Amino acid sequence: MNRCMMQIKNNEFTLNSASEVRVSGHNTGDQSSPVNGVVVSENSQETLSSLAQRLSAAEQRASARDSQLSRKELTALAASIREKVYGASYDFNKAKHDAELPSSDDPEWLASARQATDFINGRSDNPFFGMSAQQLSVIAYDEGGSFTTNERQAAMIESGRQYSEWSKSVVGKMWDEYQQRGKSTEGLKEILAYYKALPAIEESRYGNYEAEIMLQLDLQEIDWPEFNTSLLDMVANEWKPANEREDAAGDEGSAKGLGNEASPS
């Protein structure tokens, strides 16, 4: 069965699923800012028009997909997409993905695609650094051709980085609350709210997380510094997502991201 587990380890919170995202490449401290609802880094604001158009088309497809598929179907689709964009299938075809360019003469899109490839290979910043979780999900899971495979992977990597930042923050809050009150009710509520706010296809990857967290709220059996309370099997066997490869711990510039089976990002 697909088991979701909640852990606090190395000052990071994780509600585990059977897939993971690594964080690689690098950023050089570039700041981000929102423009017309699209958050892009300052050094890439010239790509806003092209990016906004592509995002708009992808958002429409995502909305239609999420309204037509059940949670179970979204879970399977997410696992399949992640395998192609980030799993062994990607590695097998990496040379092809690195050579992929948009079938367009749009210089802004071409620049974004090249930057994503350079980022994945450690030569540039992430073109999607600082974008919202919703926008990153739209890019990562879009199958309509608005983004290259490497752009989609870059979006997944940024999503993992942001998850890591959030997890460290929420663990700190939970620890402070536990020290003051002997329990972490508000921290668990924040975790619940975070997962409920995820895009539907991301939320689907965590099984019946609501029941998992509500159980913790009822029991409040938290062992510090580890959060190793056993959780129930909340999903049927057929929900088990396809296995996705695990990156070797210690890969340069890599860490585990959104939805890991270990500490995120």
Side-chain angles (χ1 to χ4, degrees), residues 111-128:
S112 174
R114 291 189 178 105
Q115 185 177 347
T117 296
D118 285 344
F119 164 70
I120 288 168
N121 289 286
R123 299 190 297 265
S124 184
D125 296 337
N126 194 327
F128 306 126

Side-chain angles (χ1 to χ4, degrees), residues 23-238:
V23 175
S24 63
H26 68 284
N27 282 85
T28 57
D30 178 38
Q31 300 298 310
S32 60
S33 57
V35 184
N36 294 340
V38 178
V39 181
V40 292
S41 57
E42 290 177 354
N43 67 0
S44 63
Q45 285 190 17
E46 66 274 11
T47 68
L48 176 61
S49 178
S50 173
L51 177 58
Q53 292 177 16
R54 291 189 288 140
L55 272 172
S56 178
E59 284 169 351
Q60 292 180 34
R61 288 189 290 270
S63 179
R65 174 199 66 208
D66 295 348
S67 67
Q68 294 168 7
L69 299 182
S70 67
R71 190 164 179 173
K72 177 179 176 180
E73 290 170 329
L74 283 173
T75 302
L77 178 61
S80 174
I81 290 174
R82 293 171 75 86
E83 167 62 19
K84 290 184 289 186
V85 175
Y86 216 90
S89 296
Y90 174 88
D91 286 344
F92 186 78
N93 294 288
K94 189 174 189 309
K96 175 184 176 181
H97 296 316
D98 283 353
E100 180 185 4
L101 288 173
S103 55
S104 169
D105 59 1
D106 180 351
E108 297 171 349
W109 188 1
L110 289 167
S112 174
R114 291 189 178 105
Q115 185 177 347
T117 296
D118 285 344
F119 164 70
I120 288 168
N121 289 286
R123 299 190 297 265
S124 184
D125 296 337
N126 194 327
F128 306 126
F129 178 77
M131 292 182 72
S132 71
Q134 180 67 42
Q135 291 164 341
L136 293 168
S137 176
V138 165
I139 294 170
Y141 293 100
D142 182 61
E143 296 188 289
S146 290
F147 300 91
T148 65
T149 303
N150 281 352
E151 283 182 299
R152 294 166 70 192
Q153 185 179 124
M156 285 188 180
I157 291 171
E158 171 61 6
S159 180
R161 185 194 69 79
Q162 292 183 13
Y163 182 94
S164 179
E165 292 299 310
W166 168 77
S167 70
K168 291 174 183 177
S169 173
V170 76
V171 164
K173 293 177 182 178
M174 290 177 71
W175 175 245
D176 289 344
E177 183 184 3
Y178 181 80
Q179 293 282 44
Q180 295 171 13
R181 302 176 56 196
K183 56 184 180 179
S184 298
T185 303
E186 295 307 312
L188 287 168
K189 288 180 179 179
E190 180 174 337
I191 292 168
L192 180 63
Y194 176 90
Y195 282 103
K196 289 181 73 69
L198 287 173
I201 195 165
E202 289 281 10
E203 183 185 16
S204 73
R205 298 174 55 232
Y206 297 96
N208 194 350
Y209 70 88
E210 300 98 328
E212 307 282 350
I213 297 174
M214 291 305 296
L215 176 64
Q216 294 299 326
L217 284 168
D218 287 341
L219 299 179
Q220 282 291 295
E221 293 180 355
I222 303 174
D223 296 323
W224 293 90
E226 298 286 335
F227 193 130
N228 290 323
T229 306
S230 296
L231 300 177
L232 301 175
D233 296 328
M234 300 304 298
V235 289
N237 280 322
E238 62 266 25

